[in-house]
Amino acid sequence: VNGNYPLGQERLITMTLTPFGGLTLTQQKALAICPKVGALLSMGGTVYIFLKIFASNRLNRPNRPEVVYNRLLLGLTIGDFAYALVAFLSTWPVPKDTIYRDYIWGEAGNQTTCDIQGFFSLWASLMAIVYMSSLSLYFLLIIRYKWALERLQKIEPYMHGLAWIFASTASVICVSKDLTNPFIVGCGVQSYPLKCNSSKGVPCIRGENAVIYQWILVITPTVVGLIFVSACMIMMYATVRTRQSAAARFRRDGDTSETVDEQISEDFRRAWQFTGVYIFLSMPPLIAIFTFAISGKESFIIAMLRAIIAPMQGFFNAIVFSRDVEGELIRSIWDTSYRTHARTLAAQRSKTSELSSNLARNQSINQINTPACENEKIDNSFVTRKE
């Protein structure tokens, strides 16, 4: 693509439109290598979730709302794995002959590899947004509105359909309109050269309307998703606080609402942890996007945080999910021990009851035989006196 610009104009464009203003070789290596570390951790976390879901047969548990939760988590994990894989590739798919070649370390691809990376980067991001919103809605429905499994299963197909159709359609549109283009940290939805739409004398080689599509397909869904999951969390928190207060009053009156309250607290614990991970990991990319959109510049520190943190959702989700697995294991051990103890107590009670019954029967027999013995003694004493 360099043939479209004279060398002098190419250098001028690179110096004026690159948001970093210049990168040392060490900084280039850091931006290229650091995402691989977080991506490896995330891929390991997603594989752990896959194995636990399928090994424990969590997708086929009848009459339990958790089956919907596990299927939604599986969809989210698929998106996390795809994004982690894209992040691990980092600068490798970037074409070697771009105007950013003095700012990138490790590029070894072409436009086709760049399109593939850009496609899956957007696809995985949109999958995460929709599935995270669906998980938040799931927790809201079971905690606040007490939906049963039958009602959840009626809306579950729409959740999966929205995620897959929206993410796939948006990604195909971007690739077909040449909106997936190279940059310093990899390929994504952007113009080439960067900011060519708003810079006079800099014609766009690819992605002339990339800014519009960034706002429609990247920034707006991200912001709407954050607002939605935050609103769900606020409503869930209000519900849990209200029910905990009510449960405390009922327990003082001898009611047994504590078990219901524990289940609500467990569901809320999952909800706020998954939501907290999503919000935390969404902040660096969102800050970078808004900073660049407003000022046209991007801090190297923000770029590093984005490179390190953004790919790690699968890793943190695995930590949250592992608590569910550990909790189920502990509950299983506890239930097994409790049932064994209960059977032992039942056997002891049965034996004690049998002994008590035998003792009572012997006492009854003794009471019946006692008068005869006393009469026999009286008769003997009478005979003795008579003699």
Side-chain angles (χ1 to χ4, degrees):
V1 296
N2 286 333
N4 292 287
Y5 288 116
L7 184 60
Q9 187 179 8
E10 176 187 315
R11 290 177 178 173
L12 179 63
I13 291 171
T14 306
M15 291 173 60
T16 56
L17 300 187
T18 301
F20 298 103
L23 291 172
T24 66
L25 181 60
T26 301
Q27 290 175 328
Q28 294 175 30
K29 290 181 178 181
L31 287 174
I33 295 174
C34 285
K36 301 180 187 297
V37 179
L40 283 175
L41 292 174
S42 186
M43 284 190 285
T46 56
V47 170
Y48 169 81
I49 295 176
F50 285 142
L51 293 177
K52 288 298 181 181
I53 287 179
F54 287 107
S56 303
N57 198 27
R58 290 171 169 266
L59 301 180
N60 297 300
R61 294 184 174 183
N63 303 323
R64 295 184 64 178
E66 288 83 358
V67 70
V68 177
Y69 156 73
N70 287 311
R71 286 197 287 255
L72 292 175
L73 180 60
L74 180 62
L76 176 63
T77 305
I78 292 173
D80 290 340
F81 182 84
Y83 190 84
L85 180 59
V86 167
F88 178 78
L89 296 176
S90 184
T91 58
W92 289 342
V94 175
K96 293 184 290 186
D97 55 350
T98 69
I99 63 174
Y100 305 120
R101 60 186 178 275
D102 294 332
Y103 292 81
I104 304 176
W105 183 83
E107 73 276 30
N110 52 42
Q111 188 57 52
T112 301
T113 59
C114 187
D115 287 339
I116 294 173
Q117 185 186 37
F119 175 91
F120 282 105
S121 177
L122 178 61
W123 181 83
S125 299
L126 295 178
M127 286 279 286
I129 293 170
V130 178
Y131 268 115
M132 193 62 240
S133 300
S134 298
L135 268 178
S136 299
L137 179 61
Y138 160 82
F139 285 119
L140 179 67
L141 293 176
I142 64 172
I143 291 175
R144 185 179 180 91
Y145 300 105
K146 300 181 180 180
W147 276 34
L149 176 62
E150 292 77 13
R151 297 185 70 184
L152 291 170
Q153 287 179 327
K154 289 180 180 179
I155 66 169
E156 183 189 359
Y158 298 101
M159 296 178 177
H160 295 291
L162 177 62
W164 287 85
I165 294 174
F166 176 55
S168 301
T169 303
S171 301
V172 169
I173 290 174
C174 289
V175 172
S176 64
K177 292 185 175 294
D178 295 336
L179 300 176
T180 51
N181 295 302
F183 189 50
I184 294 172
V185 292
C187 296
V189 179
Q190 54 208 1
S191 60
Y192 179 77
L194 201 64
K195 297 180 66 178
C196 60
N197 314 356
S198 56
S199 302
K200 294 182 179 180
V202 181
C204 291
I205 299 176
R206 288 172 55 92
E208 185 173 356
N209 299 316
V211 174
I212 298 174
Y213 285 94
Q214 277 181 333
W215 278 97
I216 296 174
L217 300 177
V218 180
I219 299 176
T220 300
T222 302
V223 173
V224 171
L226 288 172
I227 293 173
F228 181 81
V229 298
S230 300
C232 289
M233 280 303 304
I234 292 172
M235 288 189 286
M236 281 186 281
Y237 176 77
T239 301
V240 170
R241 289 288 297 174
T242 300
R243 292 184 182 177
Q244 284 179 338
S245 300
R249 291 196 301 270
F250 291 149
R251 285 196 296 271
R252 287 195 296 268
D253 296 334
D255 199 287
T256 59
S257 300
E258 184 177 2
T259 56
V260 177
D261 183 58
E262 288 177 355
Q263 182 59 49
I264 292 174
S265 299
E266 179 65 19
D267 291 330
F268 181 68
R269 194 264 313 163
R270 295 178 186 171
W272 78 258
Q273 287 181 346
F274 278 118
T275 302
V277 167
Y278 173 70
I279 293 176
F280 171 70
L281 298 180
S282 298
M283 286 296 105
L286 203 60
I287 292 173
I289 291 173
F290 276 109
T291 301
F292 179 72
I294 294 172
S295 65
K297 298 293 181 181
E298 185 174 351
S299 168
F300 173 75
I301 296 176
I302 295 177
M304 280 295 297
L305 289 175
R306 177 183 181 181
I308 296 171
I309 294 175
M312 295 187 67
Q313 183 166 354
F315 173 72
F316 287 110
N317 284 349
I319 294 177
V320 176
F321 182 72
S322 66
R323 293 195 59 185
D324 293 341
V325 175
E326 180 184 355
E328 287 189 0
L329 178 62
I330 293 174
R331 286 192 295 271
S332 175
I333 295 173
W334 171 261
D335 291 343
T336 303
S337 302
Y338 177 79
R339 285 194 294 268
T340 303
H341 182 61
R343 285 195 295 268
T344 303
L345 288 178
Q348 291 176 350
R349 292 193 189 100
S350 177
K351 187 174 182 180
T352 302
S353 176
E354 183 179 356
L355 292 174
S356 300
S357 178
N358 292 335
L359 180 61
R361 187 166 56 254
N362 292 334
Q363 289 177 348
S364 299
I365 294 173
N366 291 335
Q367 289 177 357
I368 293 173
N369 294 332
T370 298
C373 294
E374 291 179 352
N375 291 334
E376 184 177 355
K377 291 179 182 178
I378 294 172
D379 292 341
N380 290 335
S381 62
F382 176 77
V383 172
T384 302
R385 287 196 301 273
K386 185 176 180 180
E387 289 177 350

